[in-house]
Amino acid sequence: MEEIKVIKTQNPKEKPREEELAFGNIFTDHMFVMDYNPEKGWHDARIIPYGSSEYEPSLMVFHYGQAIFEGMKAYKNTKGEAVIFRPRDGFLRLNRSAERLCIPKIDVDFAISALKELVDIERDWIPKSKGTALYIRPFVISTDSSLGVRESNTYRFFIILSPVGAYYAEGFKPVKIYVTEKHSRAAKGGTGAAKTPGNYAASLYAGKVAKEKGYTQVLWLDACKHKYVEEVGTMNIFFKIDGKLVTPTLETGTILPGITRDSVIKMAKRLGYEVEERLISIDEVFKSYDEGKLEEVFGTGTAAVISPVGTLAWRDREILINDGKMGETSKELYENITAIQYGTKEDPFGWIEKV
Ligand code: COI
């Protein structure tokens, strides 16, 4: 692959104060961009000042949503080095989403080196305090100008960066989750396992209803019977039942194969927990609560990290989990995974990529 052209900004922005960071509303000075057409493949790789571009209103992505994205994080470790958490896994998942959305794949090694070059240029934007990170958002949009429903011939790939704090307004306090039986996120054979904007657009209405009822996010059940637990708005979900961790299986093809989900499974096993990836019904969750066996519930995601669930509401019931406090296991997993990210513990899994 060709070299990456770099054009630096003439107007660097002021960096935000770390203690004021929320999620995803501040962007760094530069972004990575490259284009695709059938003749040249992916080409014209460049790092340029972050900013707006003009697009024709007929751009295909605006009409039919042929697009994919990823979420990763870079950290400043205790030695002051810039590191990225599991970028290869992120780009491999981007390529799986690309296949589902008929988007040409990217070269993973090239994408990692482009990302490292971008993060290197922006290393002063990586916040240092615990709970903060530089969020990395790679994404691809379809760029043909056409209203026909078909795959686009041309695409643009971007990587933008955003210094972030906690994803939820609650910070790392337990969130309140509403189980919806009225709406569905993804059906079997659909795009549930791909990271594509349509899944998130389709989730907004149920999320709005949940917010109006006083909850932070929705817990989705399977689209067919509304019986089995799938995932929460922007996170995968784990239950600690009678000492064991249980999380919905990826085999249905309807839930996002989360990289933090995978990190939690691997870390939990290393810490000696039994982990089951299987179908888990919402009845089983509430029954285990009634039997005093539901010890913890937490969500996992790149943006959300590990977020304890304090309240779960389903039909006419609302249960308070672990007295609405973060549980021991959630805390242990959070501490162990973030210790690898911030470099206070060694990384036995090969998850950290130095910039
Ligand atoms: C992430 O956790 O990185 C996500 O993509 C979730 C959300 C912010 C869309």
Side-chain angles (χ1 to χ4, degrees):
M1 187 88 188
E2 59 186 305
E3 232 181 83
I4 301 168
K5 192 162 99 193
V6 179
I7 302 173
K8 293 263 182 83
T9 182
Q10 297 302 310
N11 302 302
K13 291 179 270 196
E14 208 176 298
K15 313 272 184 310
R17 287 156 51 94
E18 292 196 9
E19 54 282 17
E20 286 169 9
L21 288 174
F23 184 83
N25 40 28
I26 295 168
F27 301 96
T28 68
D29 287 321
H30 300 90
M31 61 185 179
F32 174 81
V33 185
M34 67 177 172
D35 293 308
Y36 179 90
N37 67 35
E39 297 76 45
K40 293 189 182 164
W42 286 110
H43 64 281
D44 199 9
R46 55 213 187 263
I47 291 172
I48 55 175
Y50 176 92
S52 52
S53 319
E54 249 188 38
Y55 292 103
E56 282 188 55
S58 54
L59 211 69
M60 284 185 85
V61 69
F62 296 147
H63 300 274
Y64 307 121
Q66 191 196 6
I68 50 175
F69 69 96
E70 265 308 314
M72 308 173 194
K73 276 179 176 169
Y75 301 86
K76 192 65 79 59
N77 71 17
T78 44
K79 291 191 210 134
E81 298 162 328
V83 301
I84 308 173
F85 190 66
R86 304 189 69 174
R88 181 167 299 276
D89 296 301
F91 287 124
L92 286 169
R93 186 173 64 181
L94 187 78
N95 274 345
R96 293 198 298 277
S97 301
E99 178 149 16
R100 182 64 181 82
L101 272 292
C102 301
I103 290 174
K105 291 186 182 165
I106 49 151
D107 181 303
V108 170
D109 288 316
F110 179 73
I112 294 172
S113 61
L115 173 60
K116 282 188 180 177
E117 193 167 339
L118 178 65
V119 172
D120 189 26
I121 290 173
E122 303 293 57
R123 62 171 66 232
D124 292 345
W125 281 91
I126 309 176
K128 292 182 207 61
S129 5
K130 188 114 194 245
T132 66
L134 186 66
Y135 186 77
I136 299 164
R137 171 55 60 88
F139 64 105
V140 183
I141 57 168
S142 47
T143 52
D144 278 9
S145 267
S146 171
L147 297 184
V149 177
R150 59 163 174 81
E151 307 149 43
S152 181
N153 292 308
T154 60
Y155 297 88
R156 183 161 284 178
F157 173 88
F158 296 84
I159 306 176
I160 58 172
L161 305 174
S162 172
V164 297
Y167 183 72
Y168 296 111
E170 289 92 330
F172 291 97
K173 289 210 279 297
V175 290
K176 292 179 76 177
I177 302 290
Y178 180 74
V179 184
T180 181
E181 288 186 305
K182 196 159 176 206
H183 301 102
S184 307
R185 177 181 172 274
K188 275 197 181 156
T191 56
K195 215 157 168 58
T196 185
N199 290 339
Y200 296 81
S203 78
L204 297 178
Y205 184 75
K208 181 172 161 216
V209 172
K211 274 194 198 99
E212 281 164 7
K213 292 179 193 283
Y215 298 91
T216 317
Q217 284 204 349
V218 162
L219 173 62
W220 302 101
L221 303 177
D222 75 276
C224 184
K225 296 185 180 146
H226 284 146
K227 177 173 174 178
Y228 296 105
V229 172
E230 299 246 296
E231 64 181 73
V232 181
T234 56
M235 313 186 283
N236 293 113
I237 190 146
F238 284 78
F239 302 93
K240 187 179 173 204
I241 301 175
D242 209 10
K244 270 190 227 165
L245 288 174
V246 184
T247 192
T249 171
L250 299 179
E251 276 167 17
T252 58
T254 53
I255 70 174
L256 190 82
I259 289 164
T260 310
R261 174 189 180 279
D262 182 70
S263 308
V264 162
I265 292 172
K266 293 197 167 107
M267 179 58 84
K269 287 185 177 164
R270 191 179 167 88
L271 293 170
Y273 288 96
E274 209 175 306
V275 185
E276 293 178 352
E277 292 177 75
R278 62 169 170 86
L279 290 175
I280 174 162
S281 69
I282 190 71
D283 283 305
E284 179 184 340
V285 173
F286 276 72
K287 190 161 166 271
S288 65
Y289 174 84
D290 291 335
E291 290 169 352
K293 293 181 183 160
L294 182 64
E295 294 159 17
E296 296 181 37
V297 182
F298 57 92
T300 63
T302 298
V305 197
I306 293 179
S307 282
V309 174
T311 304
L312 210 49
W314 176 52
R315 296 187 176 159
D316 57 353
R317 298 193 61 187
E318 185 176 279
I319 58 176
L320 189 66
I321 296 134
N322 193 38
D323 284 331
K325 296 198 291 283
M326 187 167 193
E328 287 302 313
T329 302
S330 324
K331 212 178 288 166
E332 190 184 7
L333 290 163
Y334 176 83
E335 292 300 339
N336 277 279
I337 290 175
T338 53
I340 291 177
Q341 294 167 335
Y342 294 103
T344 53
K345 269 197 187 160
E346 152 217 1
D347 167 20
F349 302 100
W351 288 339
I352 291 295
E353 185 91 37
K354 271 195 201 139
V355 172

